[in-house]
Amino acid sequence: MWSRLVAVVAVLGLQAEAMEKNPVSNADMCKLAKTLDGKVLLSTATCCVGYARPVNYLCPANTGDETFAKTTAQYLMDCDGEIPDGVIIAKGPGDVSKALAYAKAANVAFRVKSGGHSQACLSTVKDGVVLSLESMKKIEYINHDDGSVFVTIEAGVTLTELRADYIANSDVYFPHGLDPWIGAGGHFTGGGVGHLVRKFGFGSDFVVGMDVVLPSGEFVQVFEPEYEERLTGRLSVYNERDRQLLWGLKGSGHANFGVVTKFWMRTIPRPAYVVLGKYSYNIADKTSVEEYWNSMCGYYSKAPEDETAEERNLLVWPMVSNNREGPGFLMRFIIYYIPDNNSTAQGALDEATPVVNAFLTHVNGLTYHSGGIEAVAESGQFPNLVDPSVSRYAPTCVSRIVPSREDVCNRDGWIGKFADFIYDEISLFPSRGTTLFTYFDKWGGAASLNDANFERTSVNTRNAYGTIQFCRIPLNVATRDTNAMINGEGGTKDFNDSVLADVGNGWYLNFLDTLATEPEQIYTEPAVYQRLQKVKNVYDPTNVLDRPLGVPLPGSEFLADSTLALVGASAPTGQDYCKLSGTLEGAVLMPVMGCCGTSAVPPGFPCTADPANGNLSYAESHNRVLVDCDDLKPNAVIIARSALDVTKSLKFIKERDIDYRIRSGAHSQSCASTCSNCVVISLEKMKGIDYVTSDTGATFMGVEPGVVLKELIADYQDHSDVYFPHGLDAPVGLGGHLGGGAVGYLTRKFGFGADFIVGVELVLGNGKFVQVYDQDYEEQLLGYRRAHNDEDQDLLWAVKGNAHANVGVVTRYWMRTIPRPSYMVKGFYLFGVQSAVHLRSFWGSVCKFYSVSDESPKAKNLIIWPFVRSGNQLMLQVFYLPDRNDTASGALAEAEEVLHEFLVGVTAPLITQSIQAVPDKMQFADILNDQGGRTTYSCTSRLVRKREDVCDNWSFLDSFADRMWYEMVNPVVDQTFFAYFDPWGSAATTNDPDFVKSSFMGRHAWGTFQYCRTPVGAVTREALWATVDTFDSLIASQISDSWYVNFQDRTTTNRSQVLFVPEVNERLQTIKAKYDTTGVFSSPLTVTLPERGW
C-alpha cells in the first residue's frame, strides 16, 4: 500500500513529515493536476506562475462547467468563512488515491465533500484543500437472476439526480432524504435519514457494498457476504475486519476511515401511488403551541413494538414557520404515507385516510388553516422541502437527537419552555431580520428496529426516538448576518442554551450541529464510539483523514484491544458441508455415510465412499497422496472446479476457524497437501489448458493447477510445437509444481518452470480474485496494457517459486513457451559396482564435469541424473537437448561428443547402455512413471547450495561412498534404495532476465541430493523411515544445513530451513503482510507474517 503512496508523492516531489499543517503551495497543486483525470481549482489568479499550465488546471479566470467559484458556492452560507485555497475535482478512485497521497505528503489541511451540505462546514476548510467528489455521478442498475435489483451510485450523485434517474429507469427505490443538493457520499455514510425511515429503515441499512479508497491509497471493495456473490460473481473470504470497516462506514463514515467512491444498494419495489398531505394550522398564542406539542406526545406515546403496520407507514414532519401568504405564523404538517395497497390511487387513499385522520384528532390548541391529502404517482411522490432552484442554502440551524420519548414528553417544564421561546421569537418577527422554522422528525419504532440489516450499521441515531431542529432564515440573503443568526439573541446558540440543554446530550449525526465541539457529543453510545476507534486504528493509523469531530485514534488504553481479529466458530457438521456442496460447481467428499443428516443431499455430494454423479469418491481422491501420508485423513475434501469454488471454500473454512490444506496433485513428500481433522481444498478437477498466439507470433499456454504432468505433455504434443521447462513425474500437479519452482530435465539449458510464468490468476486471502501479469508480456496476452504498480509485480514474484498457498491460491498460470525440438537425445548407462572406490570415481566424474563455471553452450545442453541404487548398480540417466535437432543423426552426434567428456572418468565396468535420438511424440514415452498406483518411496532431500558442499567435501564423499557400499552388500529385507543427484548449477537461468523475477529458492543453489527407500514387501513406513533417518544422521548433515524447497523434507521443522536466503524471506514477509494480512494461509512452512512493527 505504502509504495503506491510513495510513488505518487515522488511524482509530486514532496516529502511526508508529521508537523503543523502547511500552507497550500500552488506549485504543488499544479504538479498534482498533471497526474489527475479530474481538475484542480484554485482561488488565486496567479496559480500557475512559473509552471506550464496543464489543460485540467483551472484558475478563477477560466470558464467552464467547473470553476473555483462554482464549486465553493455549493456550500451552505454558514461556511462562507471557510473557503479553501484549492479544490481537487476527482473523476475516479485513482484521483482520490493521488489526492490522499498529496495531502499526507504536503501536510495540508484537508477535507472531503460530495454535495457540500454539511451544516457544521465539515466539507470545507479555510487555508486548506478540499477533495470534491461532485463529478462522480454514475448510476447503474444490476438485475440479478433471482429478480433482485441493485443500484450502484457514485458519491457525487445528488438526491435530486438520484430520484430523477430511478424514476426514469426503474421501478425500485430505497430510503433516502429529500433535500435536493445533498450528495450521496455524505448522506449514506451519515445514515441516510429520510421519508421512508419509519417503514423501511435508514438508507445506510440498504447499503450492501462500498468501493473505498483507504487513507493508505489502497482501493478496496467491501460487501455484505450474502449479497456479494450476486453482485460480483465471487465471494470474498470475510473476516471481522472487513465487516467492521463496512459497519463503520455505514452511518459513521464521513471520511473517518476512507473515502467512499461508490455505494452498492439493495432496493425495494417503488409503489405505484403514495399519499402526500400538507396541512396548515393557525398559531394563536403560547398556549396553542404548548397544547399542540403535548398532543403530539400523546400521538407518539406507543412503544415501537406496539405500533401497527399502518402507523409505521405514516411519517409526519411538524414544523413552525411564517405564513408565506399573509401575516402570522402557522403550524405546518408534511404528511407522507406509504400504503400497502398502492396499485390504484383510490386504494392508496382509502388506506391512508383513516390513519391520517387518527393523527389529526391529536392536533389540539390550533385552528385549521388550509391543506389536505392526495394520492400521487411516480415523480410526484417526492416533495421538495427546499426549493431546488435556490442556488445556496441560507438557514443556520441547531439540531439535537432525542434519545427517547421521555426526553421530550415527560420532561417537567420542557414543552412550556419550548413554547415560550418559539412564540417570543414569532412575536418579534420581522425585527430580527430573520424568520424561523422548527420541526420534529420522529422515526422511533421504524421497521429497521427488527431488520437484520439494521445492526450492521453504525448510525448513531439508530436507537434514538427522533430529532428536533431549530433554524433561523435571513429575510434578505444579501444582508445575512451569520454571527447574529448563531450567537445573537434568539439565535441558534440561544435556543440551544435555553431550550435544548435539557433534551439530551447527543448531537444529531446527519446534520452535525455548528455548536458541537467534541466527537463524544456526536457518538453518545460508548460501545459504538470505542468500536469506531478500533476501526480507525486499523484503517487510518496515521490519521490521514483528520477532521473536526471525526473519530480519533484510540488512546493507549485501547491499543491492546484494538486489533479486529477473525471470529472463531464451532467445527462444521455434515449438514454444514452438505449446504456448502450445494453452492459449488464442484463437490464435497466425506468419508462417512449419513453426512447430510436430515438435510436433502444436493447433486454432486457423495457422502459415502462410492462415486456419484461422475465425481470422485472420498477414497479415490485421498488415494492420490503418497503412501507416506496415508494416516493423515481429512474430515472432508472440497473438490473445486473454479476460482469461485476456491473463494467459497476459503470463506467456509475461515469463518469456522478450522485447519485446512490445498493441493493440486497431492505429490508433497512432506505431506503438506493433506492433514488430519481438517479440510482439504483439492484443485484436481481444474484441468483447463489454453493456447494464445500473440500478434508477434509468440505462443503462450494457460494451464490450471489440477493438470498433471502426464496430461500437460500429452496435450502440448497433440496441439502445438512448443513447451516450457517442467518435471517428469506423471502424477505431479502443476499447482504445486510451478508454484514450487518446477525443476526438470530442461533446467540447465532453459531455466526453471517458474521462470516461464508470465501471469497468474489467483484468489487472495481476503477472497479477492486477481489477475497479475509480467509487464513485459501483458500486452501480448491481453491485447492491451493495464496500469501497474510495484505490488502487482511483488505478488507475481512471490508466487513464482514460493506459491505453496503463501499469499493466495493460484487457479491458472500463464506460461511463455519455447519451440519443442524435433529430436531429443535420451538414454541411460548402467554400471556395476564392485567396491566403494567405484562409487568415489563415479561421483568424482560428476564433480569434474560440473566444475567449470563458464561452461560451453553444448555442456549446458546436457542434463544427467546419476543414481546409486540397490543391486550394486550405478545408473546415469541422460537428456541432451541438441542445437542441431532437425535430424536424428545430427542430434545424436552432438550428444555423444559431450557425453564422452563425462564418461571418461568413470572406472566402474559398464553393464549396458541405451542412447538414441527420439522424435517429438516419443520423447516422454518411457520416462513418465505412471503405473496407475501410488508413490510408495520415503525420502530425505537436501539442497546443495554450492558445488564445494559436495565436491570439495572429502568427508562427505568418503562417508557417502562407504555408506552406499555398505547398503549394497547388506540389503534390508523388503526394502530397496536409491540416491541421486540433480545438478542444475551454472544453468542458463543465471543469465536470463526472467530468472531474477522468481522467488524460487533453488535459483541460489547448485542442485539437490535425494535418498529414498522403497518397500518391496510387507514393510511398514516406520521401518522405511528408520532406515532413512539413519542415512540422514550419518550423511546428509555433512552437505548443508539448508533444506530443498521443492520437495520439503518431512524432518523440516521451520520455514527458515527452506527460505535460507534472508533477503528473500524478508521480501516474502512484506508481501505476505500486504496480501494476507490476517494469515489466512497458515499451513506448515508458509511464510509467516512479520512481527508487529517489523
Side-chain angles (χ1 to χ4, degrees):
M1 299 175 194
W2 178 247
S3 62
R4 187 178 304 171
L5 288 176
V6 172
V8 175
V9 172
V11 170
L12 301 175
L14 302 171
Q15 297 294 321
E17 298 180 16
M19 60 181 76
E20 294 298 321
K21 297 303 181 185
N22 294 329
V24 177
S25 163
N26 289 344
D28 289 341
M29 292 286 278
C30 189
K31 292 177 185 177
L32 173 64
K34 296 178 182 180
T35 71
L36 301 177
D37 294 327
K39 295 178 171 67
V40 169
L41 314 175
L42 288 182
S43 61
T44 56
T46 57
C47 49
C48 265
V49 170
Y51 292 88
R53 179 177 300 181
V55 294
N56 60 343
Y57 187 82
L58 300 181
C59 295
N62 296 105
T63 58
D65 292 337
E66 293 157 342
T67 64
F68 182 85
K70 184 173 181 180
T71 189
T72 54
Q74 294 174 356
Y75 293 115
L76 310 188
M77 284 190 171
D78 270 356
C79 307
D80 277 349
E82 296 290 328
I83 299 302
D85 290 335
V87 178
I88 302 167
I89 305 291
K91 294 289 188 181
D95 282 358
V96 173
S97 182
K98 293 172 185 176
L100 288 170
Y102 158 78
K104 183 175 179 65
N107 193 38
V108 295
F110 183 75
R111 299 289 184 272
V112 182
K113 81 163 179 128
S114 55
H117 192 266
S118 169
Q119 291 189 15
C121 305
L122 298 183
S123 52
T124 185
V125 60
K126 186 178 181 180
D127 300 326
V129 174
V130 167
L131 168 61
S132 176
L133 311 179
E134 62 192 87
S135 291
M136 298 177 66
K137 292 185 176 294
K138 186 179 292 184
I139 302 173
E140 296 180 316
Y141 300 87
I142 301 171
N143 295 295
H144 192 264
D145 293 342
D146 65 5
S148 303
V149 178
F150 299 90
V151 182
T152 65
I153 51 176
E154 291 189 328
V157 174
T158 66
L159 295 186
T160 294
E161 295 163 339
L162 173 64
R163 293 197 301 267
D165 194 277
Y166 66 58
I167 288 172
N169 296 302
S170 78
D171 57 0
V172 296
Y173 68 167
F174 47 81
H176 57 73
L178 292 172
D179 278 5
W181 316 301
I182 293 177
H187 188 55
F188 293 111
T189 58
V193 177
H195 60 293
L196 303 180
V197 167
R198 277 175 48 76
K199 184 174 178 67
F200 296 116
F202 297 103
S204 58
D205 298 335
F206 281 67
V207 176
V208 296
M210 294 183 182
D211 291 4
V212 188
V213 179
L214 298 178
S216 64
E218 182 186 10
F219 173 77
V220 299
Q221 291 181 304
V222 286
F223 295 92
E224 294 290 358
E226 64 265 46
Y227 293 99
E228 183 182 23
E229 188 177 351
R230 285 188 281 173
L231 288 166
T232 66
R234 59 176 170 78
L235 194 61
S236 295
V237 181
Y238 261 82
N239 60 52
E240 189 62 12
R241 293 205 331 166
D242 295 329
R243 293 192 181 97
Q244 296 283 8
L245 176 62
L246 191 57
W247 170 84
L249 290 169
K250 289 169 62 171
S252 296
H254 291 114
N256 266 322
F257 324 111
V259 179
V260 180
T261 58
K262 180 188 289 186
F263 298 89
W264 301 69
M265 314 292 295
R266 63 185 176 97
T267 64
I268 47 180
R270 197 168 67 251
Y273 290 91
V274 300
V275 175
L276 294 180
K278 294 183 180 179
Y279 289 86
S280 296
Y281 286 77
N282 295 306
I283 297 176
D285 50 30
K286 292 180 183 180
T287 303
S288 64
V289 176
E290 187 171 357
E291 286 184 7
Y292 155 73
W293 211 267
N294 279 317
S295 66
M296 289 300 95
C297 284
Y299 179 74
Y300 288 126
S301 62
K302 288 184 179 180
E305 60 271 17
D306 294 332
E307 289 185 312
T308 65
E310 289 77 14
E311 287 171 329
R312 284 196 293 269
N313 291 352
L314 177 66
L315 186 70
V316 179
W317 280 315
M319 61 183 66
V320 177
S321 67
N322 67 306
N323 183 1
R324 299 173 186 175
E325 300 171 357
F329 273 71
L330 301 173
M331 180 64 71
R332 300 172 59 229
F333 302 106
I334 301 226
I335 289 177
Y336 200 94
Y337 188 88
I338 309 159
D340 298 315
N341 180 10
N342 60 61
S343 59
T344 66
Q346 190 59 49
L349 201 59
D350 289 344
E351 181 184 327
T353 299
V355 183
V356 173
N357 287 340
F359 164 77
L360 293 175
T361 61
H362 286 79
V363 179
N364 299 324
L366 305 176
T367 58
Y368 175 80
H369 178 274
S370 60
I373 61 172
E374 60 177 330
V376 297
E378 288 297 343
S379 60
Q381 293 180 13
F382 308 99
N384 282 313
L385 302 183
V386 182
D387 186 351
S389 65
V390 177
S391 61
R392 302 189 66 194
Y393 192 62
T396 293
C397 302
V398 63
S399 175
R400 278 294 183 94
I401 294 174
V402 180
S404 67
R405 175 181 175 278
E406 289 69 23
D407 284 318
V408 171
C409 298
N410 291 353
R411 189 173 293 276
D412 289 342
W414 184 85
I415 290 179
K417 186 187 298 184
F418 169 79
D420 287 346
F421 186 94
I422 296 298
Y423 194 78
D424 286 346
E425 289 303 308
I426 289 173
S427 302
L428 290 170
F429 178 80
S431 61
R432 297 270 196 218
T434 62
T435 185
L436 66 85
F437 71 84
T438 182
Y439 74 88
F440 176 58
D441 186 1
K442 190 269 185 185
W443 57 68
S448 60
L449 289 175
N450 299 313
D451 186 344
N453 291 285
F454 185 58
E455 288 299 323
R456 297 179 180 179
T457 71
S458 56
V459 180
N460 201 48
T461 52
R462 63 196 175 99
N463 294 324
Y465 183 62
T467 189
I468 291 176
Q469 192 157 0
F470 171 81
C471 301
R472 305 244 36 147
I473 309 169
L475 296 178
N476 186 338
V477 172
T479 59
R480 184 180 191 273
D481 186 343
T482 300
N483 182 63
M485 292 171 64
I486 296 174
N487 298 309
E489 187 175 359
T492 53
K493 189 175 186 304
D494 190 4
F495 181 83
N496 175 78
D497 294 344
S498 60
V499 178
L500 291 182
D502 294 332
V503 176
N505 61 359
W507 294 92
Y508 177 42
L509 183 60
N510 199 35
F511 297 99
L512 294 172
D513 196 285
T514 56
L515 303 178
T517 57
E518 301 294 336
E520 290 86 348
Q521 294 171 300
I522 300 168
Y523 304 101
T524 55
E525 297 179 55
V528 171
Y529 184 53
Q530 291 176 17
R531 186 177 172 190
L532 288 169
Q533 284 187 294
K534 293 181 180 182
V535 178
K536 178 76 170 179
N537 191 51
V538 170
Y539 289 94
D540 189 16
T542 58
N543 208 19
V544 173
L545 297 172
D546 178 20
R547 64 171 181 80
L549 303 181
V551 175
L553 287 167
S556 58
E557 67 275 13
F558 290 162
L559 286 178
D561 189 37
S562 60
T563 301
L564 303 176
L566 291 170
V567 176
S570 57
T573 65
Q575 291 184 4
D576 292 332
Y577 287 118
C578 188
K579 292 175 183 177
L580 171 65
S581 187
T583 70
L584 302 176
E585 296 176 49
V588 177
L589 314 176
M590 297 186 69
V592 295
M593 297 183 64
C595 52
C596 279
T598 58
S599 301
V601 180
F605 189 83
C607 290
T608 69
D610 299 319
N613 300 311
N615 287 301
L616 293 170
S617 68
Y618 176 90
E620 186 180 352
S621 179
H622 178 70
N623 283 344
R624 295 169 63 92
V625 304
L626 307 188
V627 172
D628 258 358
C629 311
D630 227 0
D631 57 340
L632 300 176
K633 292 187 176 180
N635 296 333
V637 177
I638 302 172
I639 305 294
R641 291 184 178 269
S642 65
L644 184 56
D645 277 1
V646 172
T647 300
K648 292 177 181 178
S649 302
L650 286 172
K651 176 182 181 293
F652 175 88
I653 289 166
K654 296 312 295 181
E655 283 189 340
R656 289 159 178 81
D657 196 23
I658 52 179
D659 194 16
Y660 71 103
R661 299 290 184 271
I662 298 169
R663 72 169 183 234
S664 54
H667 194 266
S668 170
Q669 291 189 17
S670 62
C671 304
S673 54
T674 189
C675 48
S676 294
N677 297 319
C678 71
V679 174
V680 167
I681 300 175
S682 177
L683 312 179
E684 61 195 275
K685 285 295 185 180
M686 297 180 66
K687 292 184 177 293
I689 301 177
D690 297 303
Y691 299 85
V692 175
T693 302
S694 70
D695 293 339
T696 64
T699 299
F700 299 90
M701 292 180 67
V703 292
E704 290 188 336
V707 175
V708 298
L709 290 177
K710 179 181 179 180
E711 295 164 339
L712 172 70
I713 292 168
D715 195 277
Y716 67 57
Q717 285 187 333
D718 286 344
H719 297 103
S720 76
D721 57 0
V722 296
Y723 65 167
F724 55 82
H726 57 72
L728 291 173
D729 277 1
V732 172
L734 289 183
H737 187 55
L738 291 171
V743 177
Y745 68 102
L746 302 179
T747 294
R748 275 177 43 79
K749 185 176 179 69
F750 296 116
F752 301 107
D755 300 331
F756 281 66
I757 298 171
V758 295
V760 292
E761 298 173 6
L762 72 162
V763 179
L764 297 178
N766 63 1
K768 183 179 180 181
F769 175 76
V770 297
Q771 295 171 297
V772 186
Y773 298 93
D774 188 308
Q775 294 172 342
D776 296 335
Y777 295 96
E778 181 178 32
E779 190 168 357
Q780 294 183 68
L781 277 166
L782 298 180
Y784 59 91
R785 188 184 296 276
R786 302 179 302 171
H788 267 277
N789 58 53
D790 292 339
E791 288 142 289
D792 290 335
Q793 300 307 298
D794 279 345
L795 180 59
L796 185 59
W797 174 85
V799 300
K800 290 171 65 172
N802 260 291
H804 292 118
N806 266 320
V807 291
V809 180
V810 178
T811 57
R812 185 187 299 269
Y813 291 95
W814 287 98
M815 313 296 296
R816 63 186 176 95
T817 63
I818 48 180
R820 202 166 65 250
S822 299
Y823 289 90
M824 178 177 73
V825 176
K826 68 176 185 176
F828 70 92
Y829 294 83
L830 189 64
F831 301 91
V833 179
Q834 298 172 352
S835 70
V837 173
H838 286 156
L839 293 171
R840 290 189 185 93
S841 71
F842 179 76
W843 210 261
S845 296
V846 173
C847 287
K848 182 180 178 181
F849 184 78
Y850 288 117
S851 64
V852 182
S853 59
D854 54 345
E855 293 176 298
S856 67
K858 288 184 179 179
K860 291 179 182 178
N861 292 350
L862 177 65
I863 301 293
I864 59 171
W865 281 329
F867 284 81
V868 179
R869 66 184 191 181
S870 299
N872 294 29
Q873 293 179 341
L874 289 171
M875 187 180 77
L876 192 68
Q877 196 162 12
V878 173
F879 299 91
Y880 189 85
L881 308 171
D883 297 320
R884 293 173 52 195
N885 61 59
D886 53 336
T887 66
S889 59
L892 191 60
E894 182 182 322
E896 287 177 334
E897 178 185 348
V898 179
L899 277 166
H900 176 75
E901 179 184 350
F902 173 80
L903 293 171
V904 70
V906 180
T907 61
L910 179 66
I911 298 174
T912 185
Q913 71 179 61
S914 173
I915 184 167
Q916 58 182 321
V918 295
D920 182 9
K921 294 297 178 66
M922 295 179 61
Q923 288 177 13
F924 308 102
D926 61 350
I927 297 173
L928 293 170
N929 177 25
D930 182 26
Q931 307 302 321
R934 302 176 67 191
T935 305
T936 57
Y937 46 78
S938 299
C939 302
T940 183
S941 177
R942 284 293 183 94
L943 196 65
V944 181
R945 295 182 59 181
K946 298 180 295 183
R947 175 185 174 276
E948 292 75 14
D949 285 330
V950 171
C951 297
D952 293 347
N953 186 344
W954 295 105
S955 174
F956 163 74
L957 290 175
D958 287 343
S959 297
F960 171 74
D962 290 343
R963 181 66 191 180
M964 291 298 96
W965 179 244
Y966 173 83
E967 293 198 10
M968 286 178 175
V969 298
N970 297 282
V972 179
V973 177
D974 292 335
Q975 294 184 31
T976 62
F977 79 91
F978 66 89
Y980 77 90
F981 177 57
D982 186 1
W984 58 70
S986 67
T989 55
T990 52
N991 299 314
D992 186 344
D994 288 291
F995 183 58
V996 295
K997 293 180 180 179
S998 83
S999 57
F1000 178 45
M1001 197 59 60
R1003 69 191 179 96
H1004 299 274
W1006 194 56
T1008 191
F1009 177 83
Q1010 193 157 358
Y1011 170 83
C1012 302
R1013 305 293 307 193
T1014 305
V1016 292
V1019 62
T1020 65
R1021 285 185 298 115
E1022 289 72 16
L1024 286 176
W1025 273 113
T1027 313
V1028 171
D1029 290 344
T1030 299
F1031 174 85
D1032 190 64
S1033 62
L1034 293 174
I1035 303 297
S1037 61
Q1038 299 182 45
I1039 301 175
S1040 171
D1041 59 358
S1042 301
W1043 294 95
Y1044 177 42
V1045 71
N1046 200 36
F1047 298 99
Q1048 289 103 335
D1049 195 282
R1050 76 173 184 109
T1051 58
T1052 304
T1053 56
N1054 63 74
R1055 187 65 178 174
S1056 64
Q1057 292 173 297
V1058 176
L1059 295 174
F1060 58 86
V1061 180
E1063 58 268 27
V1064 174
N1065 190 34
E1066 291 174 5
R1067 185 179 176 190
L1068 285 169
Q1069 282 189 300
T1070 62
I1071 296 169
K1072 177 82 166 178
K1074 292 174 184 176
Y1075 291 96
D1076 187 19
T1077 55
T1078 57
V1080 171
F1081 300 107
S1082 57
S1083 60
L1085 302 183
T1086 54
V1087 175
T1088 57
L1089 285 167
E1091 296 294 328
R1092 181 180 291 274
W1094 180 80

